[in-house]
Amino acid sequence: MLLLLLGIIVLHVTVLVLLFVSTIVSQWLVNGEHAADLWQNCTTGASFHCLASSSNEWLQSVQAMMILSVIFSVL
């Protein structure tokens, strides 16, 4: 029983770490001089420019769910 409880705790800690990393990390999609993530789109070249992510409804809902999942997992 103790081994099962330890396994569940390790699994939950692993999921929390992956949740934080996936929310915070930049550059989910890298394609040559273009990098995109959940929060901004960046282009590199002669200079480095970043713009806010598009205002699609699905992207805003993903952003909201990621923030809510981080908040609820901390609680």
Side-chain angles (χ1 to χ4, degrees), residues 2-31:
L2 185 61
L3 188 60
L4 179 64
L5 183 61
L6 182 64
I8 291 171
I9 290 172
V10 168
L11 180 66
H12 279 91
V13 169
T14 304
V15 168
L16 282 175
V17 168
L18 290 175
L19 175 66
F20 285 123
V21 167
S22 66
T23 303
I24 296 170
V25 75
S26 61
Q27 299 181 356
W28 281 8
L29 175 66
V30 177
N31 186 9

Side-chain angles (χ1 to χ4, degrees), residues 28-71:
W28 281 8
L29 175 66
V30 177
N31 186 9
E33 294 182 353
H34 181 74
D37 65 354
L38 189 60
W39 309 107
Q40 59 187 359
N41 294 327
C42 298
T43 56
T44 59
S47 62
F48 189 74
H49 296 287
C50 289
L51 301 172
S53 291
S54 64
S55 61
N56 292 337
E57 292 175 0
W58 65 270
L59 184 60
Q60 289 177 350
S61 65
V62 169
Q63 290 172 344
M65 290 299 143
M66 291 294 283
I67 295 298
L68 286 174
S69 65
V70 168
I71 290 170

